């Protein structure tokens, strides 16, 4: 079974650093990009960026570039989302998702499956 | 960035109804448009990919259509488990963007 299992909820203070994880299993990890998506309380879905696990190449949404960092550890088939200095506005649920596709150039692609989400609360 | 506009933002319907949700892109996507369903406390789930392809395991009452800039998600004969929030998403160009969501509520 293809699964993405995310790390547990976090409570942090403004200015602190954080790394959350997304462990993939049931497929060849390096064959598909991983995306990260934010959902602020009571709001919609926002695409943050993606990473190619085969070479760690990343793309970021301009809204998130410079504030978060996406990485992978192939040996652990795990993707990460990291902040060096959290802000209260980072309070949200964060989802990882595999960018699945059927064509050799992986276009079009779609997010499937999704991790269960990680709630990050940033409060003083 | 490609802007995605869904309509309506919310919708009330009854079990057995047929509903349609629209999604308009600010530029052509060819068919790089996906639809997701999200229920409270759960991760989103893919329903339709590449505008009109039904994801395996998704009931056939769900269908997608459209190309270019205008797309539609149709749900025939609404079931109680269909009351949820629906999102469209383009994967034509980076950054991938979502519509603002359509909340489908029971009338």
């Amino acid at each position: 079974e293809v699964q993405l299992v995310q790390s547990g909820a976090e409570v942090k203070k403004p200015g602190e650093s954080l790394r959350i994880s997304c462990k993939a299993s049931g497929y060849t990890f390096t064959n598909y990009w991983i995306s990260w998506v934010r959902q602020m309380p009571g709001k919609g879905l926002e695409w943050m960026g993606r990473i190619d696990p085969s070479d760690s190449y990343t793309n970021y949404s301009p809204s998130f570039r410079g504030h978060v960092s996406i990485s992978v550890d192939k040996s652990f088939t795990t993707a990460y989302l990291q902040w060096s200095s959290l802000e209260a506005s980072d309070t949200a649920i964060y989802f990882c998702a595999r960018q699945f596709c059927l064509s050799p150039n992986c276009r079009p692609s779609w997010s499937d499956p999704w991790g269960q989400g990680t709630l990050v609360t940033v409060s003083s | 960035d490609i802007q995605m506009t869904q309509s309506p933002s919310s919708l009330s319907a009854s079990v057995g109804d047929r509903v349609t949700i629209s999604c308009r892109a600010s530029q052509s996507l060819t068919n790089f448009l996906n639809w997701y369903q999200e229920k409270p406390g759960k991760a989103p789930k893919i329903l339709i990919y590449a505008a009109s392809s039904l994801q395996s395991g998704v009931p056939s009452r769900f269908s997608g259509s459209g190309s270019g800039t205008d797309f539609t998600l149709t749900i025939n004969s609404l079931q109680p488990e269909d009351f949820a929030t629906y999102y469209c998403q383009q994967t034509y160009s980076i950054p991938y963007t979502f519509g603002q969501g359509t909340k489908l509520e029971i009338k």
Side-chain angles (χ1 to χ4, degrees), chain A residues 35 37 39 43-47 50 59-63 65 95 99 102 106-112 114-117, chain B residues 1 31-34 36 38 41-46 48-50 55 87 89 91-100:
Chain A
S35 285
V37 173
Q39 186 166 45
K43 301 299 185 182
L45 304 173
E46 300 173 270
W47 187 83
R50 67 176 186 172
N59 296 114
Y60 292 93
S61 166
S63 300
R65 186 179 297 121
F95 295 100
Q99 284 302 125
L102 295 173
C106 214
R107 283 173 62 80
S109 70
W110 52 96
S111 295
D112 179 59
W114 295 60
Q116 82 277 20
Chain B
D1 299 4
N31 71 332
F32 291 17
L33 189 283
N34 308 314
Y36 301 91
E38 187 183 32
K42 300 286 191 181
K45 167 188 161 184
I46 183 73
I48 303 287
Y49 62 90
Q55 172 72 0
Y87 294 92
Q89 183 204 29
T91 55
Y92 183 80
S93 69
I94 298 292
Y96 297 160
T97 42
F98 290 93
Q100 80 277 17

Side-chain angles (χ1 to χ4, degrees), chain A residues 36-108:
Chain A
W36 285 93
V37 173
R38 181 175 79 174
Q39 186 166 45
M40 298 178 77
K43 301 299 185 182
L45 304 173
E46 300 173 270
W47 187 83
M48 303 175 70
R50 67 176 186 172
I51 188 164
D52 182 345
S54 68
D55 61 8
S56 294
Y57 182 79
T58 52
N59 296 114
Y60 292 93
S61 166
S63 300
F64 294 93
R65 186 179 297 121
H67 187 57
V68 298
S69 177
I70 298 172
S71 60
V72 294
D73 186 327
K74 287 191 288 188
S75 59
F76 290 103
T77 64
T78 299
Y80 301 96
L81 180 65
Q82 184 168 336
W83 295 259
S84 58
S85 181
L86 286 160
E87 302 170 1
S89 57
D90 293 318
T91 295
I93 297 173
Y94 294 87
F95 295 100
C96 62
R98 183 182 67 164
Q99 284 302 125
F100 189 66
C101 53
L102 295 173
S103 62
N105 66 357
C106 214
R107 283 173 62 80

